[in-house]
């Protein structure tokens, strides 16, 4: 099966990979290693989310904190919903794009269109009842980003925010729901 040279080579490669994985884990920021995005309304304090945004097409809504402004605009073939807190450099965006593929979205599918996209600390969660892929990425101009991608009714939703907004964004996304209008 294995001769002694093959066995030594296999063990050397395995040890090298184990050392590389340990170094990568040790060097990666603690916040990325230990943070779990939470979408359970029973465990999140949502009393700070006093405002409700309703989008017309596709029909969805979510709650958000007072003091944030919301606007939307067409961008390419899709639409961007921008949620920001003026003067605080805090906010997130939802990019909505017509999409004719079934869900759920996977990192492999994202890499088909964006091969250089860094996807780390990925998690599968439900947003508005849909399977979503939530992960950390790196934006050259904004730094560490939290992203959530999911598909609903022939639309792809791409939600992104600076990683510092994780807690607020997870509370907001826990209230995200699709409306039957």
């Amino acid at each position: 099966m294995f001769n002694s040279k093959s066995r030594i080579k296999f063990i050397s490669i395995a040890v090298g990979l184990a050392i590389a994985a340990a170094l990568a884990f040790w060097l990666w920021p603690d916040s990325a290693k230990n943070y779990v995005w939470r979408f359970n309304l029973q465990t999140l304090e949502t009393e700070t989310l006093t405002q409700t945004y309703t989008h017309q097409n596709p029909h969805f809504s979510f709650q958000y904190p007072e003091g944030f402004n919301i606007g939307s605009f067409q961008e390419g073939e899709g639409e961007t919903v921008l949620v920001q807190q003026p003067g605080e450099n805090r906010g997130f965006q939802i990019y909505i794009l017509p999409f004719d593929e079934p869900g759920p979205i996977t990192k492999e599918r994202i890499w088909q269109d964006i091969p250089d996209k860094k996807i780390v600390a990925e998690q599968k969660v439900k947003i508005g009842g849909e399977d979503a892929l939530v992960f950390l990425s790196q934006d050259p101009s904004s730094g560490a980003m939290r992203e959530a991608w999911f598909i609903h009714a022939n639309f792809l939703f791409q939600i992104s925010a600076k990683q510092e907004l994780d807690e607020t964004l997870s509370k907001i996304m826990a209230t995200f729901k699709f409306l039957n209008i």
Side-chain angles (χ1 to χ4, degrees), residues 137-156:
S137 65
Q138 194 72 26
D139 181 88
S141 61
S142 301
M145 302 292 291
R146 171 65 71 190
E147 297 192 42
W149 292 46
F150 56 96
I151 298 168
H152 176 78
N154 294 323
F155 288 97
L156 173 64

Side-chain angles (χ1 to χ4, degrees), residues 158-177:
Q158 301 171 13
I159 301 169
S160 59
K162 289 186 176 181
Q163 187 180 359
E164 300 90 64
L165 198 64
D166 252 352
E167 185 177 334
T168 302
L169 184 60
S170 67
K171 288 178 183 180
I172 292 169
M173 289 298 105
T175 69
F176 190 103
K177 60 184 172 185

Side-chain angles (χ1 to χ4, degrees), residues 9 12-13 27 45 50 87 90 96 100 145 152 156 176:
K9 186 176 181 181
S12 297
I13 291 171
L27 294 173
E45 296 176 20
T50 58
R90 294 180 67 213
I96 307 161
D100 62 359
M145 302 292 291
H152 176 78
L156 173 64
F176 190 103

Side-chain angles (χ1 to χ4, degrees), residues 42-142:
Q42 286 72 37
T43 61
L44 290 174
E45 296 176 20
T46 57
E47 66 270 1
T48 59
L49 306 178
T50 58
Q51 308 298 307
T52 300
Y53 172 77
T54 302
H55 191 272
Q56 294 308 309
N57 188 23
H59 300 290
F60 65 88
S61 72
F62 59 84
Q63 295 175 323
Y64 63 97
E66 191 171 325
F68 280 72
N69 294 334
I70 299 182
S72 64
F73 55 92
Q74 293 303 122
E75 186 175 353
E77 296 177 24
E79 177 186 6
T80 297
V81 176
L82 192 58
V83 182
Q84 5 181 26
Q85 187 175 25
E88 296 293 324
N89 195 23
R90 294 180 67 213
F92 66 95
Q93 73 175 22
I94 304 172
Y95 184 63
I96 307 161
L97 182 68
F99 198 70
D100 62 359
E101 297 177 29
I105 194 79
T106 64
K107 67 181 177 184
E108 291 79 15
R109 177 60 188 93
I110 294 170
W111 286 335
Q112 284 180 17
D113 291 332
I114 314 169
D116 295 338
K117 184 135 191 100
K118 302 290 185 216
I119 297 175
V120 296
E122 68 203 65
Q123 302 170 50
K124 293 181 180 172
V125 300
K126 293 277 189 189
I127 299 179
E130 298 292 352
D131 292 324
L133 180 64
V134 176
F135 56 91
L136 294 175
S137 65
Q138 194 72 26
D139 181 88
S141 61
S142 301

